Amino acid sequence: MEIKNIEERAAQAVQNFKEGYNCCQSVVMAYADLYGKTADEMAVIASAFGGGMAKMREVCGTCTGMFMIAGLQIPANDPKDKEAKAANYKLVQELAEEFRRENGSIICRELLGLDGKSAAAGAEGCAGQEKKKRPCPELIRMAAEIVGRKLQTL
């Protein structure tokens, strides 16, 4: 698949975040057109996955956004289609590995430098750091670029 303007899509993803969309929404909205979806449709689908799954600081929303795109690119919606499921999982694992290699983790709280697994630690992450000081915009840019580059190889 030829993906044009990966850098523009990455910049759009960062702009989406600056406009108030969560990290997951920001990434998937930048690629919505490739799958016949609107940015609004993707924003709805991805609405619960910001802040590492509803601010629980688990898997980074930027990664979840990449994984959602993987599901659109290689759907595994037929439970009998083991090949599609394997191909989908392989793509997700490759995306996660590249993100992990560049950032050291795919876990939100680790990327933000937070301690603990509790939701309280997640809430503290937002209150304890000004939004502009968090690494989220750079992680969003990076995830949008990683998924774009990966789509080009499929």
Side-chain angles (χ1 to χ4, degrees):
M1 168 181 257
E2 184 179 350
I3 305 296
K4 295 181 180 179
N5 306 316
I6 292 173
E7 293 80 19
E8 288 178 25
R9 288 179 187 275
Q12 181 61 57
V14 172
Q15 183 59 39
N16 293 340
F17 186 71
K18 289 178 180 177
E19 291 174 7
Y21 291 99
N22 72 39
C23 44
C24 183
Q25 290 171 316
S26 297
V27 173
V28 297
M29 290 168 65
Y31 285 91
D33 64 300
L34 297 181
Y35 304 100
K37 306 289 183 200
T38 67
D40 286 343
E41 288 171 322
M42 296 306 284
V44 169
I45 292 166
S47 63
F49 299 99
M53 308 279 178
K55 285 191 180 179
M56 291 187 292
R57 304 298 180 212
E58 297 295 337
V59 174
C60 175
T62 67
C63 292
T64 303
M66 291 191 303
F67 306 158
M68 287 180 170
I69 293 168
L72 291 167
Q73 184 64 34
I74 303 177
N77 55 320
D78 179 352
K80 294 177 181 140
D81 189 347
K82 305 299 183 202
E83 288 181 28
K85 184 182 272 190
N88 175 275
Y89 285 5
K90 180 179 184 280
L91 177 55
V92 168
Q93 290 167 3
E94 289 171 357
L95 292 166
E97 183 53 37
E98 185 168 346
F99 190 90
R100 187 181 290 114
R101 193 170 41 250
E102 293 192 30
N103 298 291
S105 180
I106 65 167
I107 304 301
C108 176
R109 70 179 163 278
E110 293 172 3
L111 294 164
L112 293 178
L114 300 173
D115 292 326
K117 287 182 132 180
S118 71
E124 175 189 313
C126 280
Q129 294 177 303
E130 292 180 41
K131 190 173 184 177
K132 64 183 176 183
K133 291 183 181 179
R134 287 186 284 155
C136 303
E138 179 59 21
L139 296 173
I140 289 165
R141 181 196 61 74
M142 190 177 299
E145 289 176 353
I146 288 169
V147 75
R149 287 192 309 263
K150 183 53 98 173
L151 291 175
Q152 285 185 316
T153 68
L154 301 177

